[in-house]
Amino acid sequence: MSAQSCLEANDWICGEYVRTRGQELLDATVQHVGITLVSVVLGLLIAFPLALTARRWRAAAGPVLGLTTILYTVPSLAMFALLTPVFGVSAAVVVTGLVLYSLTILVRNILAGLESVPREVREAARGMGYGPVKLLFGVELPLALPALTAGLRIATVSTVAMTTIGAVVGYGGLGNLISSGMEGFFKAEVLTASVLCVLLAVVADVLLIGLQRLLTPWTRAQARARSRARRERRAAGRTAKKAVA
């Protein structure tokens, strides 16, 4: 009697499933990455002018932040149901929903980053002849990058997770495999797709951390300076204790 394969045994971990369904997994992963990437980029492009509007006109800050918060409270299934009559059963439903959800995180972090720029830095830049556009892109945005990147990381990871819900309209990337696996209780399909989804989130987060470090080299210099100052203070403290003893 031949040994039962892991597919026949319906095991959770099954290398045979990965080998035989490799193309299916690749297609689902590519769709997942594509939806996530488009959603985050569009969300960033919309969130940036909204944050600038909220900062420029204080009267607009409340409505902008309030509206994005309200959108985030709408359940994902209800959101997709509301968007389906407008876009039909398409990837646009999922992308639009994910863009709307990302605005809460992105707008708040962009606004917080811009407001964290010291006033004296702005005044010094204006004194050097910087106009509004040059001030924004040459001074404020670089200094706001840590907060902006932090928001982008959260938005990206949450979008990777929420893309799976798009399976309700057939455009959920790896969520399609998770959904079909749950329906048929296909253990290997559920676990493999779930693990790939987690790996996508981790890889995206690591890449964004690397991007932040690349774009903000001065933060590492500041961290080294603070660390050196702490070591010098501790050394001075030990020297003072020895002198007293």
Side-chain angles (χ1 to χ4, degrees), residues 40-171:
V40 172
V41 170
L42 289 177
L44 193 58
L45 291 176
I46 296 172
F48 187 66
L50 286 177
L52 291 180
T53 301
R55 188 187 66 152
R56 177 66 178 83
W57 293 285
R58 290 298 176 181
V64 168
L65 296 176
L67 177 60
T68 56
T69 301
I70 290 172
L71 289 173
Y72 198 77
T73 64
V74 178
S76 54
L77 292 178
M79 177 72 79
F80 292 162
L82 292 172
L83 293 173
T84 299
V86 179
F87 296 100
V89 180
S90 66
V93 171
V94 183
V95 170
T96 304
L98 295 176
V99 167
L100 294 176
Y101 284 131
S102 70
L103 293 180
T104 301
I105 301 167
L106 293 174
V107 170
R108 289 179 181 276
N109 277 269
I110 294 172
L111 186 58
L114 292 174
E115 290 183 340
S116 69
V117 178
R119 179 177 298 178
E120 56 269 22
V121 173
R122 292 195 183 95
E123 294 301 327
R126 292 191 184 99
M128 295 171 62
Y130 279 55
V133 176
K134 190 176 180 181
L135 175 65
L136 174 63
F137 289 98
V139 177
E140 294 178 319
L141 270 184
L143 294 178
L145 272 177
L148 193 156
T149 310
L152 187 59
R153 287 172 57 195
I154 297 171
T156 301
V157 171
S158 64
T159 300
V160 169
M162 295 183 67
T163 296
T164 57
I165 305 173
V168 297
V169 292
Y171 292 92

Side-chain angles (χ1 to χ4, degrees), residues 9-31:
N10 195 24
D11 293 334
W12 285 104
I13 301 175
C14 183
E16 186 178 353
Y17 167 75
V18 178
R19 288 193 301 272
T20 58
R21 306 290 183 87
Q23 188 59 49
E24 184 180 45
L25 289 168
L26 178 60
D27 292 342
T29 302
V30 169
Q31 185 186 77

Side-chain angles (χ1 to χ4, degrees), residues 164-212:
T164 57
I165 305 173
V168 297
V169 292
Y171 292 92
L174 293 166
N176 295 338
L177 300 183
I178 296 173
S179 178
S180 63
M182 291 294 290
E183 289 176 4
F185 196 57
F186 191 176
K187 296 178 181 178
E189 185 172 52
V190 173
L191 181 62
T192 304
S194 300
V195 169
L196 285 174
C197 189
V198 172
L199 288 176
L200 283 181
V202 172
V203 169
D205 194 44
V206 170
L207 289 176
L208 288 172
I209 290 174
L211 179 63
Q212 178 181 350

